Amino acid sequence: MSHALPFNIMIVGQAGRLQYEALIFAASLRTFSPDFRGQLYVAEPQPGPKWPRDPRMSGDIKDALTALGAEIRPFQSVYFGHSYPYGNKIEGLQILTAKQPFVFFDTDTLITGDLTRVPFDFDRPAASMNRGPTWPVEELYWPGYTAIWKSLYDRFGLDFESSLDLAQPDEYWERYLYFNAGWFFGNDPARFGQLFTDYAVSIRDDPPPELVIQPLDPWLDQIALPLVIHTLGGGRPDATLGGLDGDISCHYRALPLLFARGTDAQIEALEKVTAPNKIKKLLKQYEPMKRLIFQGRGHKVRAMFDQNALPRHEKALRNKIKSAGFWMR
């Protein structure tokens, strides 16, 4: 059954790799979620003092995205830009219409199923749980998970205790609200985006003392995101959203990783949406996609691994692919 409440989707598109990933995303959305009745928006950063080079997409890619039903909307980078490009997903939310439900996806995502079947509760925001213990980083003199996360909740006047998963032990990373920012959703992108910006800028420019030895790049978006979702009354996604990072969407992050650990259905979906000549011609402009998708290197990567017995850690996957000379992004 299709989702009753219409919603919009936002991704980020800019010069380089992301514009080609945006094209794959748009093609996969149209192919595998044909009943989607909302609007796909591509947020495009504009030239300005935060960008040493023009970050806009090429005209032929824009035309192809528009032909696939996407609407490209420009935005100005005020707080982030080249120094922290992940900030595009934070500032880019301003392009969306206020008080209209939205779902954000990282551009390196493949849609493989019907998004309208996902029972989003837009009044209870959530985000991807496809993450690991990446932040905070354990240091010799660090104060611990509880002290670090509580300092952030205290900074913004939030209730820390209600964010905890009490089924997990104290000082274990999964006890604390932490997401992958590969997808998230809410009922008002203006409110969500303003909080996201305010929290991220505050943490970056004036981190609490407990964070003094903690790296913020590249995790700033994933540090601020749980605080935004908690503020808006959301939390961890429940099992009904399992199709995201499942059989409906795949946040592949890098094409070699998709070929190495993706399901057969995900590889078939990638090859189906990139097969039309008008899309293939554009994707071949980008060397990693040309070699991995169209010249067979992706399947060479896949043949290096037993998909039923993959290395436990992603680093082992990356290292083996790199040693074979097939790592391209």
Side-chain angles (χ1 to χ4, degrees):
M1 181 178 293
S2 294
H3 196 280
L5 186 64
F7 60 92
N8 298 319
I9 294 173
M10 186 191 111
I11 61 173
V12 173
Q14 68 182 81
R17 170 174 54 87
L18 264 66
Q19 66 179 348
Y20 299 103
E21 291 175 346
L23 185 56
I24 292 176
F25 180 95
S28 67
L29 175 66
R30 184 164 185 173
T31 299
F32 291 102
S33 193
D35 294 330
F36 174 66
R37 295 292 178 259
Q39 180 62 51
L40 169 61
Y41 292 103
V42 182
E44 183 187 49
Q46 299 299 291
K50 296 292 185 180
W51 296 98
R53 300 184 186 87
D54 190 341
R56 290 176 295 184
M57 297 179 287
S58 62
D60 52 0
I61 296 290
K62 289 184 182 182
D63 291 343
L65 287 168
T66 301
L68 288 167
E71 181 177 330
I72 299 162
R73 287 189 173 180
F75 72 93
Q76 293 294 331
S77 301
V78 177
Y79 299 101
F80 301 107
H82 176 75
S83 65
Y84 188 69
Y86 297 101
N88 284 339
K89 71 178 68 175
I90 300 174
E91 293 193 89
L93 289 168
Q94 67 186 268
I95 71 159
L96 298 176
T97 303
K99 299 184 179 179
Q100 289 187 1
F102 75 97
V103 183
F104 168 85
F105 286 100
D106 268 349
T107 314
D108 49 0
T109 299
L110 185 68
I111 301 301
T112 55
D114 184 2
L115 271 176
T116 66
R117 292 194 291 107
V118 179
F120 294 104
D121 180 356
F122 290 103
D123 293 331
R124 187 184 179 279
S128 172
M129 295 286 278
N130 186 21
R131 80 283 187 254
T134 51
W135 195 92
V137 179
E138 295 190 25
E139 302 278 2
L140 182 60
Y141 297 108
W142 78 316
Y145 282 98
T146 296
I148 287 174
W149 279 115
K150 188 176 186 303
S151 74
L152 291 166
Y153 284 77
D154 290 347
R155 159 68 62 86
F156 303 110
L158 306 176
D159 180 55
F160 173 64
E161 296 297 328
S162 61
S163 73
L164 300 175
D165 180 356
L166 299 180
Q168 302 293 339
D170 192 32
E171 289 301 315
Y172 179 62
W173 71 273
E174 288 192 82
R175 184 179 177 89
Y176 310 90
L177 195 63
Y178 188 54
F179 300 110
N180 183 316
W183 61 260
F184 54 82
F185 63 87
N187 62 9
D188 184 356
R191 173 72 171 146
F192 199 111
Q194 189 62 59
L195 285 170
F196 210 171
T197 301
D198 291 347
Y199 290 177
V201 171
S202 174
I203 294 165
R204 181 194 65 184
D205 294 351
D206 182 25
E210 290 82 356
L211 273 64
V212 69
I213 60 172
Q214 285 293 320
L216 301 180
D217 190 350
W219 296 290
L220 181 61
D221 60 333
Q222 296 192 176
I223 300 167
L225 182 59
L227 306 172
V228 175
I229 287 176
H230 188 68
T231 299
L232 296 174
R236 298 166 181 83
D238 60 28
T240 65
L241 299 179
L244 301 174
D245 298 320
D247 62 349
I248 292 178
S249 72
C250 170
H251 182 201
Y252 57 86
R253 300 198 359 252
L255 277 175
L257 292 177
L258 176 60
F259 279 102
R261 65 186 178 188
T263 65
D264 290 343
Q266 289 166 346
I267 303 302
E268 290 169 7
L270 173 70
E271 293 177 339
K272 179 176 181 178
V273 303
T274 58
N277 284 331
K278 57 187 177 182
I279 292 177
K280 182 190 300 185
K281 180 180 178 181
L282 293 171
L283 296 181
K284 281 185 173 181
Q285 296 174 0
Y286 190 60
E287 194 73 10
M289 291 183 179
K290 176 181 177 181
R291 294 188 178 278
L292 287 163
I293 301 174
F294 304 112
Q295 293 185 348
R297 289 199 183 183
H299 282 281
K300 290 181 179 179
V301 170
R302 193 163 183 78
M304 293 167 55
F305 300 95
D306 177 354
Q307 278 72 45
N308 295 314
L310 291 168
R312 182 177 177 184
H313 299 292
E314 182 182 300
K315 186 177 181 180
L317 277 174
R318 289 175 176 262
N319 288 343
K320 188 170 182 179
I321 296 169
K322 289 176 181 177
S323 67
F326 290 148
W327 184 261
M328 288 168 271
R329 192 180 185 197

